[in-house]
Amino acid sequence: MLSVKNLTKSFNSPSGTVKALEDVSLDVDTGQFVSIIGKSGSGKSTLLSMLGALDTPTSGNIHVDDVDIAKLSSAKQTAYRARKIGFVFQQYNLIPNLTALENVMLALEFGGVKSRERKARAEKLLSDVGIKADQQLRKPSRLSGGQQQRVSIARALANRPAIILADEPTGNLDSETGQKIFELLHNLSRSENTTIIAVTHDLDIAGKTDRTFSLKDGKLTKLSKS
Amino acid sequence: MNVISRGVKNSMRSPLRSGAIVLMLAISIGLILSMLVARSSVNAKIADVKSSAGTLVTINPAGINGFAGGGTPFTSDQLATIKATPHISSTTATLSDQLGSTDTNLTSSLELGSFGERQQRFDSPAASSSTSPTADSTSAATRPAFTPRTAVTGTTNPDSVATNGGSLTISSGSTINGSGSDLVALVGTTLATKNSLTPGSTFTAYGKTITVSGIFTTGNTFQDSGIIMPLATLQTLTSQPGDVTHVIAKVDSSDNVNAVVSALKTSFGDKADITSEAEQAATSVASLSNIANLALAGVIGATIAGAVIVLLAMVMIVRERRREIGVIKAIGGTSQKVVAQFVAEALTLTIIGAIVGLGLGVLVSGPMTSSLVTSSQSSTTATTGTNRGPGRAFERGLGQIGTNLTQVTSSITPQVFASAIGITLLIAIIGSAVPAWFISRIRPAEVLRSE
């Protein structure tokens, strides 16, 4: 269960204080697939940063399983990210000099998985997202965009996170590949009962998620609920 | 794959750049080693010079100068005071006397000459007011004939009589034990010839029979006309137990000569004339000290250069991988782990640079040190003149490397090696510290902002 209450994030700029998020509140049940749409600069990425403990809010609370992550120390926030959160980025953000397998094993290492167990688990995760054995030993530069995003999803799933935060997961992919990635995420939320919050500008994809929110000028509006 | 192996792997991410960094580091570390070796060798030379040159302090009873002047010899207690003075490593004590015709059966081998006559004019009671024995022929005719005397030196170290600063040359027979008290003597070659003495011969002096142990030669006519005895023997024969008229003290280092002179002056006041070679020692060390300082400046300069190379390289790498660092932090990597990974990368580059640099240093520091410290190394290249062709050149090259290795191996002390390793680590640490600070300031949220 994810519960956000009165979340506000302000930044100081030369022209004064800018509110990137203003009094945002939302509740997401475990296993739900939620999408957030909004224009560039509407605060989508800032909201994901707060939910993923990458940044701290100016005010408000974020409760994940009854723990207020906004109040955690820096070290505990890092541990929270490693074990409870999976990130999927628009530009995949795989480590370029590590193979697909090593990228997933890296997340397992940060999650505290014993070194002798990492390889087998990474192979299974990659296999589950459709990366073949020979592709697992390739570096990201030798994989297609869709394959890289699958590796990114496998990395996000590595430590069986409570929440996957996806920032424009299909933004760099063609529509057919994007559709496949969306289906992969959708199936995961069903099979693994993982909460997925995806920021997207693709209304077609947003329409297929369990719930959709809209962000405009830092304010959140609920659009639909399935 | 752990933090260390990722750091090592990352160091080879861009082979061209890594190669350039390693090369620059290698030159810097090679220079550091060369300078350390040179400094170590120069310091060894300085220590050598300090322990041998200008370390002698001469202490005479006030007023006594050889057989001339007047004063009271040092007593055994005063000699003990000299020996107990800090930093004095050894002493040579001497008692001087002269044998007249009534003291010995030896005939002096010295020609008296006008100088000798003038010095002995006071021995005649009738000539006490004369200033020139040859000026007044009338009064000279009334005096007994002048006879040259034979100098006797009682010493704890017969080598101290040598005029070349080294060992006394014994032309036949054997030397004497200066610390003993036997009735033995070394006889100067001129005196021995004059009196037909050979090792084993005897002569009388002070009413005792003295055995000739050996014949010495110094090339100095006065010395070669004299006799050397053990100090204690001469003290007994002349009824001057414990007395000495000349002491040479050896100081452990020329650095301490002034302190020793000062201490002796405090102990003896105006009862002793004390002279030293401190200024000569300082001059001989000054030029070497300048080279040592130059080498130290080289070490510091090369260290700074090495640190700056690693620093700039790592800053460039960190800036380049800002997003990657953000991603690692976002997926749960701690700042410490990221810093450790980059330090491992910097260390890998530094260690490779150090290995290449140390090899480079071994090749160049031998000739560099030789040119700084020694004047020539001709013995190793004398046989290569007639050898021609690439094969021979290769062999000569290998030979030179072998020579360098031998020279440097003898100069690379554990301290020099430890210093080189320490400085290399210092380079890596300084070179990594600022990038580490950059890394700790990269916030994981930036990975999303830059999307």
Side-chain angles (χ1 to χ4, degrees):
Chain A
M1 175 75 178
L2 169 68
S3 176
V4 178
K5 294 270 185 265
N6 310 117
L7 196 67
T8 298
K9 179 68 179 177
S10 304
F11 296 103
N12 290 321
S13 73
S15 56
T17 303
V18 176
K19 283 192 173 178
L21 292 174
E22 190 174 351
D23 202 25
V24 171
S25 296
L26 78 153
D27 293 309
V28 180
D29 292 332
T30 302
Q32 273 194 328
F33 192 162
V34 174
S35 58
I36 299 170
I37 58 171
K39 290 179 182 174
S40 180
S42 60
K44 305 188 299 289
S45 294
T46 306
L47 178 58
L48 276 196
S49 296
M50 303 293 132
L51 298 179
L54 297 177
D55 209 346
T56 49
T58 307
S59 63
N61 308 106
I62 305 167
H63 282 94
V64 177
D65 298 334
D66 298 326
V67 175
D68 188 352
I69 61 168
K71 302 281 192 296
L72 294 176
S73 65
S74 176
K76 284 185 176 172
Q77 280 187 336
T78 303
Y80 166 80
R81 287 197 299 271
R83 294 164 199 271
K84 292 278 189 179
I85 299 289
F87 283 101
V88 177
F89 304 100
Q90 180 180 353
Q91 292 178 339
Y92 330 125
N93 283 342
L94 299 173
I95 307 300
N97 73 322
L98 300 182
T99 65
L101 190 67
E102 287 167 344
N103 265 283
V104 180
M105 287 169 69
L106 182 65
L108 291 167
E109 178 190 326
F110 295 151
V113 176
K114 289 176 186 169
S115 57
R116 61 177 177 275
E117 295 171 12
R118 288 176 205 159
K119 191 178 178 202
R121 191 152 154 201
E123 283 172 342
K124 182 171 186 316
L125 283 161
L126 285 166
S127 179
D128 288 348
V129 297
I131 299 294
K132 295 172 187 168
D134 64 316
Q135 295 167 338
Q136 292 177 11
L137 300 176
R138 292 183 198 169
K139 289 186 177 171
S141 58
R142 293 187 58 225
L143 295 171
S144 69
Q147 287 167 337
Q148 287 188 59
Q149 196 60 300
R150 286 172 189 272
V151 175
S152 171
I153 291 168
R155 182 178 68 182
L157 289 168
N159 296 306
R160 297 192 181 92
I163 305 168
I164 288 181
L165 301 172
D167 189 15
E168 302 278 12
T170 60
N172 266 14
L173 304 172
D174 60 71
S175 58
E176 188 182 349
T177 310
Q179 186 61 38
K180 286 179 181 172
I181 291 296
F182 171 77
E183 283 169 9
L184 177 62
L185 286 170
H186 195 264
N187 292 340
L188 283 171
S189 75
R190 293 288 174 269
S191 61
E192 303 288 329
N193 198 32
T194 305
T195 305
I196 299 178
I197 299 174
V199 164
T200 182
H201 59 266
D202 189 334
L203 295 176
D204 186 36
I205 284 176
K208 293 175 184 172
T209 56
D210 299 331
R211 296 165 69 190
T212 303
F213 293 91
S214 172
L215 256 177
K216 187 178 179 185
D217 299 330
K219 292 178 180 172
L220 193 72
T221 316
K222 187 168 69 177
L223 289 184
S224 65
K225 183 175 181 180
S226 61
Chain B
M1 184 173 277
N2 57 24
V3 167
I4 305 297
S5 54
R6 274 200 300 279
V8 172
K9 193 175 177 183
N10 273 343
S11 67
M12 290 300 124
R13 207 152 147 174
S14 171
L16 193 64
R17 181 170 62 193
S18 298
I21 294 168
V22 163
L23 186 65
M24 286 188 285
L25 267 176
I27 293 170
S28 159
I29 291 169
L31 197 59
I32 288 171
L33 180 70
S34 305
M35 289 292 139
L36 281 174
V37 168
R39 188 164 184 269
S40 169
S41 302
V42 171
N43 280 338
K45 199 81 179 175
I46 288 172
D48 187 39
V49 169
K50 281 183 176 177
S51 65
S52 57
T55 56
L56 299 182
V57 175
T58 304
I59 310 128
N60 290 329
I64 291 180
N65 186 10
F67 297 109
T72 307
F74 288 136
T75 62
S76 53
D77 286 347
Q78 287 173 313
L79 184 60
T81 302
I82 294 171
K83 286 180 178 175
T85 303
H87 302 298
I88 288 183
S89 54
S90 65
T91 56
T92 298
T94 303
L95 176 65
S96 298
D97 198 30
Q98 296 185 99
L99 291 169
S101 56
T102 55
D103 298 320
T104 181
N105 65 346
L106 293 175
T107 304
S108 174
S109 57
L110 274 178
E111 293 296 328
L112 198 59
S114 60
F115 178 79
E117 284 181 5
R118 182 173 175 77
Q119 303 314 312
Q120 295 194 9
R121 67 189 185 277
F122 304 112
D123 292 351
S124 168
S128 59
S129 61
S130 174
T131 53
S132 170
T134 55
D136 185 353
S137 58
T138 312
S139 60
T142 62
R143 295 177 200 145
F146 292 125
T147 52
R149 295 162 187 163
T150 301
V152 186
T153 305
T155 180
T156 52
N157 178 15
D159 286 339
S160 65
V161 179
T163 52
N164 61 0
S167 299
L168 186 67
T169 303
I170 306 295
S171 54
S172 64
S174 59
T175 190
I176 56 172
N177 175 14
S179 306
S181 56
D182 297 338
L183 292 170
V184 292
L186 292 171
V187 179
T189 183
T190 316
L191 183 64
T193 304
K194 180 93 175 181
N195 293 278
S196 305
L197 295 173
T198 55
S201 312
T202 58
F203 63 91
T204 59
Y206 305 109
K208 298 283 183 182
T209 301
I210 313 294
T211 304
V212 177
S213 178
I215 310 298
F216 70 87
T217 178
T218 64
N220 177 291
T221 304
F222 179 80
Q223 300 284 15
D224 289 347
S225 299
I227 297 168
I228 303 170
M229 287 183 177
L231 175 64
T233 303
L234 187 61
Q235 285 171 335
T236 306
L237 291 174
T238 58
S239 303
Q240 303 178 88
D243 288 1
V244 295
T245 52
H246 182 68
V247 179
I248 297 171
K250 185 168 173 54
V251 181
D252 55 7
S253 166
S254 59
D255 283 344
N256 301 321
V257 167
N258 284 332
V260 167
V261 168
S262 178
L264 288 172
K265 282 184 174 171
T266 304
S267 301
F268 286 87
D270 59 1
K271 290 179 181 164
D273 294 325
I274 300 160
T275 54
S276 73
E277 302 166 331
E279 285 183 14
Q280 176 206 327
T283 308
S284 59
V285 165
S287 58
L288 285 170
S289 294
N290 286 342
I291 297 173
N293 290 339
L294 191 69
L296 180 63
V299 170
I300 294 168
T303 303
I304 292 171
V308 168
I309 289 166
V310 178
L311 176 75
L312 293 180
M314 292 313 293
V315 165
M316 188 170 66
I317 289 169
V318 166
R319 286 177 67 87
E320 236 177 51
R321 299 198 203 139
R322 197 176 174 87
R323 170 186 288 268
E324 186 178 316
I325 293 165
V327 171
I328 291 174
K329 287 187 174 184
I331 65 174
T334 59
S335 284
Q336 293 90 320
K337 277 200 170 184
V338 186
V339 167
Q341 181 182 313
F342 276 79
V343 169
E345 186 170 344
L347 265 177
T348 304
L349 290 172
T350 309
I351 287 169
I352 296 172
I355 291 168
V356 178
L358 290 175
L360 215 64
V362 165
L363 290 179
V364 301
S365 54
M368 188 183 285
T369 305
S370 295
S371 64
L372 283 173
V373 178
T374 61
S375 55
S376 71
Q377 50 179 28
S378 56
S379 59
T380 54
T381 54
T383 58
T384 56
T386 55
N387 295 335
R388 295 184 186 282
R392 294 296 181 188
F394 181 69
E395 281 178 22
R396 284 201 300 276
L398 283 180
Q400 185 59 47
I401 289 170
T403 306
N404 293 348
L405 279 171
T406 312
Q407 287 173 341
V408 175
T409 307
S410 61
S411 303
I412 296 182
T413 59
Q415 287 81 359
V416 168
F417 194 72
S419 301
I421 299 290
I423 290 173
T424 303
L425 285 174
L426 187 72
I427 287 174
I429 290 165
I430 294 172
S432 306
V434 175
W437 181 77
F438 273 124
I439 289 167
S440 66
R441 286 179 59 85
I442 294 175
R443 299 167 64 213
E446 292 181 31
V447 75
L448 284 172
R449 291 219 180 93
S450 59
E451 285 285 329

